[in-house]
C-alpha cells in the first residue's frame, strides 16, 4: 500500500461542518467592518523578506525565529507573510493611496505563517482578519476600532472578554522608559531567560512580553511606561479613553502590555477572552497605532492604526455546535420508482432556480433511507415522488417540523414552497 501523506505540522485542514462556523464569523466581520467604512484589500501571501525585517523589526520574535523564509529560483529571499500590516503598508505606498484619499480604511482576511511551538490556539498556518486606518492622527479612530470589535464579539455571543489598553508613547517616551526599565532589570538580569538576556541589549521592552514564568514574575514590579510618557502622548491616551467611554465600551488600562511588534507608537490594545477552550492562548485581538511605519517603509509621513484578530481563537471561543451554523435544506426531494428521476431533476432545477436550498438523492436507494437523510440534514420540507405521483401529477408535501402532510399539484410545488420558505 502507498504511504499516506499528511498535512505539514501546525497547518490544519478546515472541514465541514466546522467551515460553516468560519463562514458565519467571517461574514459577521465583513458585514460589520463595512458598516464602519472599511473595504477589503487582498495582498499576496509571498513578499520579499526585507518587507518584514524592515516593517516588523529585526529584534522581534517573529523576524528572529518565526518566519517561513526561503530563496526563490533566482536566489531572492522570500517570506510567507507572518502578519498583514507590513503588506498593507507596502500596498498603501505602492499605490500612492495618500494622493487618492485623505483617509484610507482597509480590512484583510487570510492565512499567516509563523514557525512557532504549537499549542491549542497556536498554529504555523493561522488566519487573521485585520483592519488598518491611514491618515487619522486623532485617538478617536483607535477607540472606534475597539468599539467595532466590542460590537463584533457581542454580536456573535463572545461576551466573557476584556479590553486592555496601554500607550507605548513616541520614540522619545520609549527612550526614557527603556532607560528606566534597564535600570530596573540590570540588578537581576542573570535570573532572566536566555532570550530576555539578549533582549536586554537589543530591545528591553520585549522583556515585558516574555511568556516564560520566571521572567513574567520578575516583571510584575517593573516601572510603568505611563510614567515615562510626555505631555503629548499622555493627552492622546486620555483622548482614546474618553472616546471609549463615550461609546460605552468597558476597558482596563494595563501598563505592562507593550505588544510583540516594534512598529507600535502611542495606543496599543488587546482583547483577552476567558474561554476554557483557549487554554493559555487567550489573546484574541491585538492592535495599536503605528504612526511611523508608512514613512519608515519609504512612504509619506501618514499616521496609521490597526488590529488583527485571530480567527481560530475566535472560533474556539464560539459556543454552540458546528452543526448549528450549517444551514438546513429548504426541501429534500424523495423519489423512488419507475419514471421518477426526470421529474425529480426537473423539480429540483425549478426549485433551485427559485432560490431554494434543495437536496436530492442521486444514488438508487430506498424511500426509507432517503427520508432518513432528509431528517438528518434537518430539511424543512420533503416532496415525495413515487410511481403513483408520476401518474397523477400530484405529489406529497411534508412539513417536517409540524409533521403534517398535504397533496400539491406538481405545477404548484414551487409557488407553495417559495411562499412557505419565505415566511
Ligand atoms: P501571541 O502573544 O499570542 O503570540 P502575538 O502578539 O504574536 O500573539 P499578533 O501578531 O499581534 O499576536 O497577532 C494578533 C492575533 O493573531 C493574536 O492575538 C492571536 O489571536 C492571533 N495569532 C497570533 N499568532 C497565532 C498563531 N501562531 N496561531 C493562531 N493564532 C495566532
Ligand atoms: Mg506571537
Amino acid at each position: 500500500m502507498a504511504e499516506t501523506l499528511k498535512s505539514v505540522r501546525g497547518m490544519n485542514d478546515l472541514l465541514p461542518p466546522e467551515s460553516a462556523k468560519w463562514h458565519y464569523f467571517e461574514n459577521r466581520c465583513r458585514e460589520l467592518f463595512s458598516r464602519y467604512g472599511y473595504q477589503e484589500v487582498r495582498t499576496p501571501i509571498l513578499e520579499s523578506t526585507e518587507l518584514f525585517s524592515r516593517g516588523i523589526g529585526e529584534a522581534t520574535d517573529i523576524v528572529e525565529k518565526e518566519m517561513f523564509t526561503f530563496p526563490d529560483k533566482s536566489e531572492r529571499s522570500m517570506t510567507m507573510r507572518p502578519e498583514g500590516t507590513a503588506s498593507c503598508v507596502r500596498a498603501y505606498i505602492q499605490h500612492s493611496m495618500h494622493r487618492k484619499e485623505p483617509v484610507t480604511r482597509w480590512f484583510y482576511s487570510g492565512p499567516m505563517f509563523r514557525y512557532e511551538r504549537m499549542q491549542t490556539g497556536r498554529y504555523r498556518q493561522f488566519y487573521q482578519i485585520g483592519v488598518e486606518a491611514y491618515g487619522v492622527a486623532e485617538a478617536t479612530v483607535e477607540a472606534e476600532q475597539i468599539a467595532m470589535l466590542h460590537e463584533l464579539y457581542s454580536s456573535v455571543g463572545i461576551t466573557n472578554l476584556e479590553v486592555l489598553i496601554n500607550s507605548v508613547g513616541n520614540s522619545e517616551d520609549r527612550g526614557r522608559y527603556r532607560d528606566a526599565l534597564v535600570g530596573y532589570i540590570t540588578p537581576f538580569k542573570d535570573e532572566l531567560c536566555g532570550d530576555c538576556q539578549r533582549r536586554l541589549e537589543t530591545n528591553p521592552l520585549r522583556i515585558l512580553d516574555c511568556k516564560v514564568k520566571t521572567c513574567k514574575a520578575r516583571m510584575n514590579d517593573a516601572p510603568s511606561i505611563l510614567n515615562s510618557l510626555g505631555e503629548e502622548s499622555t493627552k492622546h491616551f486620555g483622548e482614546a479613553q474618553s472616546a471609549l467611554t463615550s461609546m460605552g465600551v468597558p476597558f482596563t488600562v494595563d501598563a505592562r502590555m507593550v505588544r510583540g511588534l516594534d512598529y507600535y507608537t502611542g495606543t496599543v490594545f488587546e482583547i483577552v477572552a476567558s474561554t476554557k477552550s483557549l487554554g493559555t492562548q487567550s489573546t484574541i485581538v491585538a492592535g495599536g497605532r503605528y504612526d511611523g511605519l508608512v514613512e519608515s517603509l519609504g512612504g509619506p509621513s501618514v499616521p496609521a492604526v490597526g488590529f488583527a484578530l485571530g480567527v481560530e481563537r475566535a472560533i474556539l471561543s464560539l459556543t454552540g455546535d458546528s452543526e448549528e451554523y450549517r444551514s438546513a435544506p429548504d426541501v429534500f426531494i424523495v423519489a423512488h420508482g419507475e419514471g421518477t428521476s426526470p421529474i425529480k431533476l426537473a423539480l429540483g432545477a425549478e426549485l433551485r432556480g427559485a432560490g431554494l436550498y434543495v437536496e436530492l438523492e442521486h444514488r438508487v436507494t430506498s424511500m426509507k433511507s432517503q427520508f432518513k437523510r432528509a431528517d438528518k440534514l434537518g430539511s424543512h420540507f420533503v416532496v415525495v415522488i413515487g410511481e403513483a405521483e408520476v401518474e397523477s401529477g400530484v405529489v406529497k408535501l411534508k412539513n417536517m417540523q409540524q409533521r403534517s402532510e398535504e397533496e400539491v399539484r406538481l405545477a404548484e410545488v414551487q409557488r407553495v414552497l417559495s411562499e412557505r420558505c419565505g415566511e
Side-chain angles (χ1 to χ4, degrees):
M1 218 167 61
E3 197 186 330
T4 54
L5 295 169
K6 293 222 171 81
S7 67
V8 173
R9 215 171 131 72
M11 305 201 176
N12 303 311
D13 297 314
L14 172 64
L15 306 178
E18 186 72 3
S19 49
K21 222 170 179 175
W22 282 62
H23 286 166
Y24 164 77
F25 183 73
E26 288 164 347
N27 289 340
R28 281 303 292 139
C29 290
R30 287 213 161 84
E31 188 263 321
L32 185 71
F33 295 174
S34 39
R35 276 205 282 116
Y36 281 76
Y38 290 89
Q39 292 180 295
E40 185 173 6
V41 60
R42 295 191 190 192
T43 63
I45 282 169
L46 213 57
E47 297 269 7
S48 50
T49 303
E50 195 193 345
L51 173 65
F52 303 113
S53 49
R54 274 176 58 192
I56 302 172
E58 293 278 8
T60 55
D61 279 358
I62 294 182
V63 174
E64 274 182 348
K65 52 188 189 197
E66 294 176 358
M67 295 206 300
F68 279 87
T69 296
F70 51 87
D72 71 2
K73 289 195 193 298
S74 316
E75 298 299 325
R76 276 182 293 249
S77 182
M78 295 286 141
T79 294
M80 312 267 285
R81 63 176 183 200
E83 55 103 60
T85 296
S87 308
C88 285
V89 170
R90 190 226 6 94
Y92 178 85
I93 298 168
Q94 187 172 335
H95 303 286
S96 304
M97 293 308 296
H98 71 289
R99 284 207 208 101
K100 297 178 184 156
E101 52 193 20
V103 176
T104 294
R105 280 171 295 179
W106 282 349
F107 76 85
Y108 59 84
S109 168
M112 306 295 160
F113 303 84
R114 294 184 196 175
Y115 203 84
E116 298 204 63
R117 204 165 63 80
M118 282 163 324
Q119 303 155 54
T120 305
R122 189 176 293 285
Y123 314 99
R124 291 185 175 170
Q125 173 174 326
F126 61 98
Y127 285 74
Q128 282 185 339
I129 299 181
V131 151
E132 315 281 350
Y134 304 92
V136 184
E138 284 78 359
T140 48
V141 73
E142 52 256 43
E144 190 188 60
Q145 289 182 353
I146 297 169
M148 179 167 88
L149 285 162
H150 191 256
E151 187 182 344
L152 171 70
Y153 289 107
S154 308
S155 78
V156 300
I158 305 175
T159 47
N160 46 351
L161 42 80
E162 196 175 13
V163 174
L164 305 177
I165 64 167
N166 191 23
S167 172
V168 297
N170 57 30
S171 55
E172 238 173 75
D173 304 333
R174 267 201 307 284
R176 266 197 298 275
Y177 183 57
R178 191 188 155 110
D179 293 345
L181 204 57
V182 172
Y184 168 77
I185 294 168
T186 306
F188 57 81
K189 66 168 198 265
D190 298 340
E191 293 168 40
L192 298 176
C193 74
D195 275 344
C196 281
Q197 295 192 18
R198 202 166 28 77
R199 286 176 186 133
L200 189 60
E201 306 297 323
T202 56
N203 200 344
L205 264 71
R206 287 285 75 77
I207 298 174
L208 287 166
D209 209 34
C210 184
K211 309 254 181 336
V212 176
K213 263 208 186 99
T214 46
C215 298
K216 261 191 163 160
R218 266 304 192 176
M219 296 310 281
N220 274 339
D221 298 320
S224 162
I225 193 166
L226 297 175
N227 296 332
S228 299
L229 297 186
E231 204 179 316
E232 203 184 314
S233 300
T234 304
K235 183 165 168 272
H236 185 98
F237 191 42
E239 283 161 1
Q241 294 177 62
S242 326
L244 284 170
T245 306
S246 300
M247 289 181 281
V249 181
F251 62 89
T252 307
V253 174
D254 177 359
R256 302 269 175 278
M257 193 227 329
V258 294
R259 306 286 314 114
L261 300 96
D262 269 0
Y263 50 60
Y264 289 111
T265 53
T267 320
V268 290
F269 55 92
E270 283 190 358
I271 297 183
V272 178
S274 50
T275 317
K276 273 204 200 77
S277 53
L278 281 175
T280 50
Q281 315 313 315
S282 53
T283 306
I284 54 174
V285 186
R289 186 166 272 284
Y290 45 92
D291 288 344
L293 186 59
V294 178
E295 197 172 8
S296 79
L297 286 176
S301 170
V302 172
V305 51
F307 65 77
L309 65 84
V311 181
E312 285 83 355
R313 294 185 198 178
I315 301 290
L316 282 167
S317 317
L318 283 182
T319 49
D321 192 58
S322 303
E323 287 288 349
E324 289 168 31
Y325 294 88
R326 185 181 61 80
S327 50
D330 292 311
V331 55
F332 193 111
I333 306 175
V334 167
H336 187 75
E338 197 77 25
T340 58
S341 179
I343 295 177
K344 170 181 77 180
L345 293 174
L347 182 63
E350 186 189 357
L351 296 177
R352 283 172 176 151
L356 297 176
Y357 169 15
V358 180
E359 286 276 356
L360 44 79
E361 181 59 89
H362 291 278
R363 297 167 306 166
V364 181
T365 56
S366 67
M367 286 242 181
K368 193 173 160 211
S369 81
Q370 292 180 47
F371 263 110
K372 237 176 155 173
R373 226 188 117 218
D375 226 12
K376 185 150 187 268
L377 291 170
S379 315
H380 297 294
F381 291 91
V382 167
V383 171
V384 188
I385 309 172
E387 282 168 21
E389 284 80 9
V390 174
E391 196 92 348
S392 63
V394 175
V395 297
K396 285 197 195 72
L397 179 62
K398 285 180 186 270
N399 182 322
M400 299 295 276
Q401 259 95 51
Q402 296 171 3
R403 298 275 151 198
S404 59
E405 185 182 307
E406 63 193 301
E407 299 210 319
V408 180
R409 287 189 332 112
L410 199 49
E412 297 288 306
V413 172
Q414 185 257 307
R415 188 185 55 76
V416 172
L417 273 175
S418 292
E419 258 173 44
R420 303 272 165 86
C421 296
E423 273 165 13

